[in-house]
Amino acid sequence: MLICPQRKFIFFKPLKCAGTSVEHALYSTAGPDALCTGSASGDGEIEYDSRNNHLLDNGQEANRFVQHTPPCLFYSRVGGMGLYDKYSNITIVRNPWDALVSFYWWCVRKEGAPEEWLIKPDDSSDDMAQKFETVITMPSVYSKDPIAHEIGLGSSVSSAFIFFHTLNNLFVDSRIDHYLRFESLERDFIDLCKRLEIDDVKLLRYKVSQRKLGIGYRVYYNSWMRNIVAEKFSSYIEKFSYRF
C-alpha cells in the first residue's frame, strides 16, 4: 500500500495483479512524506523498502499497515478523521481465473512444495488440473501472515483459495475511484500518470519469473475449479465483465 500526500492518492495492492510493479513506479515519485509498506520477493529479498510505516506499540516496533491492506481495513483503522476525503483511491483488477494461477505458482515457490505438486511441461491436462486443485484447495493455516489475521483467517484452517478470494474481493470497494486492469496495464498506467501529473515513470516488472510455464490459464482448470472461481468471484466478474 502507498499513501502519497504530495499528490493525494492511495494505492491499494491486491494479490497477483502486478501491484508491486505499479506501487514501485509510483513510490519513486511519491516524496519523503509518503507512506509505503514496501515489498519483498517470495525468497524474502527486499525489492524496495517501506517508508514511514513503523511505529512503537507498547515499546515494540510495529507496522502501521501491511502490503495487501484493502480499503475497508484501511478506512476502519483511520476512522472518521477525514484526512483522506479528497484523496484518489486506486487499485488493480485481474481476471480471477488467471490471477489464481499466478497465486498457485507463488504458493509452490514460497512453500517449497513437494515435487509431485509441481506442474511440468510434459504433464497431461488432467494431471495439471489435479495438481493445481490440490495446491489451491489443500487445508492451510495462515497464522504467520499478518493480513490473514486482519481478514479473520489467521487462527483458522482455510486454504490458498479461501485466502485468495476472501482478500482480493475486498479490493472492489465503493471508495475506489480508479481501477487499473492487469490486461491493459501499460496503457492504464500511462493514463493514471497523466491524471496524477506524473512524468517519465517506468513501469518495471516484478515477480514475473514465478510463473514457470508459458501456457494459458484455462489448461489449469477442471470444471469444478472453474465453477467455484465463478461462484466466489461472481460480483467481481460481473462488474468487470471477465470471462473464462
Side-chain angles (χ1 to χ4, degrees):
M1 190 179 71
L2 173 66
I3 306 172
C4 180
Q6 181 181 2
R7 291 188 169 87
K8 293 192 177 340
F9 72 81
I10 305 171
F11 175 71
F12 294 99
K13 183 168 70 172
L15 292 169
K16 311 317 297 175
C17 293
T20 297
S21 299
V22 172
E23 184 177 77
H24 187 234
L26 296 173
Y27 172 90
S28 66
T29 72
D33 295 332
L35 183 153
C36 185
T37 54
S39 182
S41 69
D43 300 324
E45 180 182 349
I46 300 299
E47 294 168 324
Y48 50 93
D49 291 322
S50 64
R51 182 186 297 172
N52 299 323
N53 192 40
H54 299 299
L55 52 75
L56 288 178
D57 184 9
N58 293 324
Q60 300 292 319
E61 188 173 273
N63 291 323
R64 298 176 188 273
F65 304 101
V66 296
Q67 281 193 63
H68 301 292
T69 297
C72 58
L73 293 182
F74 171 77
Y75 280 104
S76 66
R77 183 168 297 176
V78 300
M81 294 187 292
L83 295 175
Y84 305 104
D85 288 350
K86 295 183 179 180
Y87 278 53
S88 295
N89 295 279
I90 304 159
T91 193
I92 309 177
V93 293
R94 181 180 185 179
N95 183 314
W97 289 285
D98 189 25
L100 187 61
V101 169
S102 287
F103 194 54
Y104 160 84
W105 286 107
W106 171 264
C107 290
V108 294
R109 179 181 181 186
K110 185 177 181 182
E111 302 300 332
E115 188 74 14
E116 62 265 27
W117 296 351
L118 295 176
I119 294 173
K120 301 174 183 177
D122 57 352
D123 283 341
S124 69
S125 57
D126 287 343
D127 286 344
M128 286 185 180
Q130 185 57 55
K131 290 179 179 181
F132 176 66
E133 180 183 336
T134 296
V135 171
I136 289 299
T137 62
M138 180 182 303
S140 303
V141 177
Y142 285 82
S143 58
K144 295 182 180 179
D145 194 313
I147 193 63
H149 290 275
E150 296 204 44
I151 62 175
L153 297 176
S155 58
S156 60
V157 176
S158 58
S159 68
F161 181 61
I162 292 173
F163 177 69
F164 181 82
H165 79 72
T166 301
L167 180 56
N168 266 24
N169 272 313
L170 295 176
F171 288 85
V172 179
D173 187 285
S174 61
R175 285 161 287 218
I176 297 293
D177 49 36
H178 197 93
Y179 289 98
L180 308 178
R181 284 182 180 262
F182 177 89
E183 296 79 14
S184 55
L185 187 58
E186 290 191 11
R187 182 177 69 245
D188 289 0
F189 182 71
I190 290 171
D191 291 342
L192 175 66
C193 287
K194 290 178 180 177
R195 177 178 176 178
L196 297 176
E197 299 181 350
I198 295 173
D199 298 320
D200 300 323
V201 179
K202 291 184 178 180
L203 187 62
L204 303 177
R205 302 179 72 192
Y206 284 91
K207 298 183 174 75
V208 294
S209 64
Q210 292 163 4
R211 191 160 168 170
K212 299 300 183 184
L213 298 181
I215 58 176
Y217 65 83
R218 290 180 292 272
V219 178
Y220 292 78
Y221 284 88
N222 56 33
S223 59
W224 183 83
M225 278 300 304
R226 173 182 174 176
N227 291 336
I228 199 69
V229 172
E231 176 187 338
K232 295 301 182 181
F233 281 95
S234 58
S235 297
Y236 190 112
I237 290 166
E238 181 179 1
K239 181 175 178 65
F240 299 103
S241 301
Y242 281 119
R243 296 186 299 169
F244 184 80

